[in-house]
Amino acid sequence: MPHHVPKIKTAPPPDIERELEELEGLLDELLPFKKLDHNVLIATWNIRAFGGLTERWEARDQDSPKRDLHSLLCIAKIISRFDIIAVQEIKGNLKAFRHMLKVLGPHWSFILTDVSGGNEGNDERLGFLFDSRKVKLSGLACELVVPNEKIERIQDGAFSRQFARTPYAVGFKVEDKTFVLVTLHVIYGKRASDRTGELEGIAQWLRRWAMNMHSFDQSLIVLGDFNIDRRGDPRYQAFVSTGLRVPDDLTEVGRTVYDHRTSYYTQIAWFHDQQNIPQLSIKYLRGGVFNFGPHVLKNRNLTPFQLSWRISDHLPLWAEFSTKC
């Protein structure tokens, strides 16, 4: 992949500069700080149709896409507050992604899948961005494909094909702690029931893998867009059926810009054993969501739907872990 990244050629107008400063202050207030030799901040964010970019500070009505330079700087400002962030819906067109890398700076690295084929794949990539001053790759990177003989053994009706967008696993190292993050974007389907089999299939497959990893003092953390409507529905039950658990402080937070109801689309979870002990080599401290909606593109009078095409319809979900355990 070529390394040339275009530069943003002009400085932001004063009103945008002021808004970005206010956004930075809010992030200081609401998110933990990244601390070397102390913690690791891991996040997940489905950035809606993260592909093209209109190279204006404010996209006009006739411009397509609606994501402009102002929007991009807001996204980059939020991403920069984490050590590692899993991103879903990176499109085949990497223009916005490349501009964002330039904004983030040379110490930011990334690893991506190729685009998913077929209509259900929707020309999407899965990827991780990480601050290389603190985070290193451990050497593992793979897409998760269930062998055909394993598919046959999974509970009848639960799973009968490969995933529409293949889950992506990458190993990371912070200090002396090694952990594997698995990100995925579960098929939405025509009906909610279309997702149940895929969720149950990935949960069963990951459970076996996690048990092997924990024996080597590694953690497996699952994060991404699981398209779960609500807690307790059949999709949620399929997700937690093999021991995956969502931390208590992430169970009642909203996850979209559209309303403040608790939706479960975006998740961060890991396995617990039969004594409900987390199977982690790093210690979970706290987590949350950053609701950027009221604080970005404030002077444009955008509806949540319009905002979703400039920033996203999903909110970033984050978790802070201690590396001192």
Side-chain angles (χ1 to χ4, degrees):
M1 188 176 290
H3 294 290
H4 170 68
V5 179
K7 294 183 179 180
I8 295 178
K9 299 176 182 178
T10 60
D15 59 329
I16 292 178
E17 192 71 61
R18 284 193 298 272
E19 183 188 286
L20 291 169
E21 290 175 0
E22 291 173 5
L23 177 61
E24 187 162 9
L26 186 70
L27 289 163
D28 285 345
E29 180 182 340
L30 297 180
L31 296 181
F33 285 96
K34 298 193 291 186
K35 299 175 183 177
L36 191 64
D37 301 329
H38 178 75
N39 68 354
V40 57
L41 290 171
I42 299 173
T44 181
W45 195 4
N46 181 330
I47 304 178
R48 186 172 196 175
F50 196 40
L53 180 71
T54 292
E55 293 187 61
R56 299 178 181 275
W57 287 109
E58 183 172 345
R60 302 168 299 183
D61 290 343
Q62 66 268 34
D63 286 332
S64 180
K66 297 302 181 187
R67 184 168 286 124
D68 51 31
L69 295 176
H70 184 185
S71 306
L72 189 77
L73 288 186
C74 291
I75 293 170
K77 186 74 72 175
I78 294 167
I79 284 178
S80 71
R81 303 309 294 250
F82 305 109
D83 294 305
I84 311 170
I85 183 164
V87 180
Q88 301 85 46
E89 280 202 40
I90 303 170
K91 306 292 277 186
N93 180 350
L94 291 172
K95 184 176 180 179
F97 185 85
R98 289 185 176 281
H99 275 76
M100 186 183 68
L101 281 173
K102 185 64 180 179
V103 173
L104 287 170
H107 56 276
W108 277 87
S109 297
F110 68 93
I111 185 166
L112 300 176
T113 66
D114 199 356
V115 293
S116 299
N119 292 333
E120 291 179 339
N122 197 32
D123 189 42
E124 292 180 20
R125 307 173 190 267
L126 296 168
F128 291 96
L129 288 148
F130 58 98
D131 188 336
S132 61
R133 294 172 299 183
K134 182 175 179 181
V135 180
K136 308 301 178 187
L137 293 172
S138 73
L140 171 70
C142 62
E143 293 182 272
L144 303 185
V145 178
V146 180
N148 288 333
E149 60 271 20
K150 296 290 186 182
I151 290 177
E152 295 171 359
R153 295 175 193 169
I154 291 176
Q155 181 180 347
D156 184 39
F159 188 69
S160 58
R161 55 163 176 75
Q162 292 300 334
F163 306 108
R165 292 176 283 250
T166 310
Y168 191 39
V170 175
F172 294 96
K173 187 172 184 179
V174 176
E175 301 173 47
D176 63 342
K177 302 296 184 182
T178 302
F179 49 89
V180 174
L181 303 183
V182 181
T183 187
L184 62 155
H185 187 186
V186 169
I187 183 174
Y188 192 80
K190 296 179 180 179
R191 300 171 302 277
S193 58
D194 291 343
R195 306 167 223 159
T196 307
E198 186 154 298
L199 281 163
E200 188 168 344
I202 187 63
Q204 291 187 27
W205 181 235
L206 288 175
R207 176 62 181 171
R208 289 188 289 272
W209 199 29
M211 291 174 66
N212 291 333
M213 269 190 211
H214 190 63
S215 64
F216 290 96
D217 197 30
Q218 294 189 33
S219 306
L220 188 147
I221 299 170
V222 184
L223 67 175
D225 183 355
F226 294 82
N227 276 316
I228 296 170
D229 295 311
R230 60 187 183 276
R231 190 179 185 187
D233 75 4
R235 268 62 62 196
Y236 183 80
Q237 292 306 121
F239 177 65
V240 301
S241 61
T242 59
L244 277 170
R245 294 290 181 270
V246 178
D248 290 341
D249 53 356
L250 294 184
T251 58
E252 301 299 333
V253 295
R255 287 156 162 83
T256 72
V257 300
Y258 295 124
D259 54 49
H260 296 292
R261 295 174 301 171
T262 303
S263 62
Y264 271 64
Y265 298 144
T266 304
Q267 295 287 359
I268 299 175
W270 48 86
F271 288 98
H272 287 58
D273 65 15
Q274 293 180 344
Q275 286 74 46
N276 204 32
I277 298 173
Q279 301 297 282
L280 291 176
S281 58
I282 51 179
K283 182 181 179 182
Y284 176 69
L285 298 176
R286 56 177 167 157
V289 67
F290 179 65
N291 183 6
F292 56 79
H295 310 290
V296 297
L297 315 185
K298 292 187 292 186
N299 297 327
R300 300 202 200 175
N301 297 314
L302 299 172
T303 67
F305 179 77
Q306 291 170 325
L307 181 64
S308 77
W309 287 104
R310 291 159 173 80
I311 307 292
S312 184
D313 49 344
H314 292 259
L315 304 176
L317 194 70
W318 59 268
E320 180 186 16
F321 297 88
S322 171
T323 55
K324 301 301 181 185
C325 58

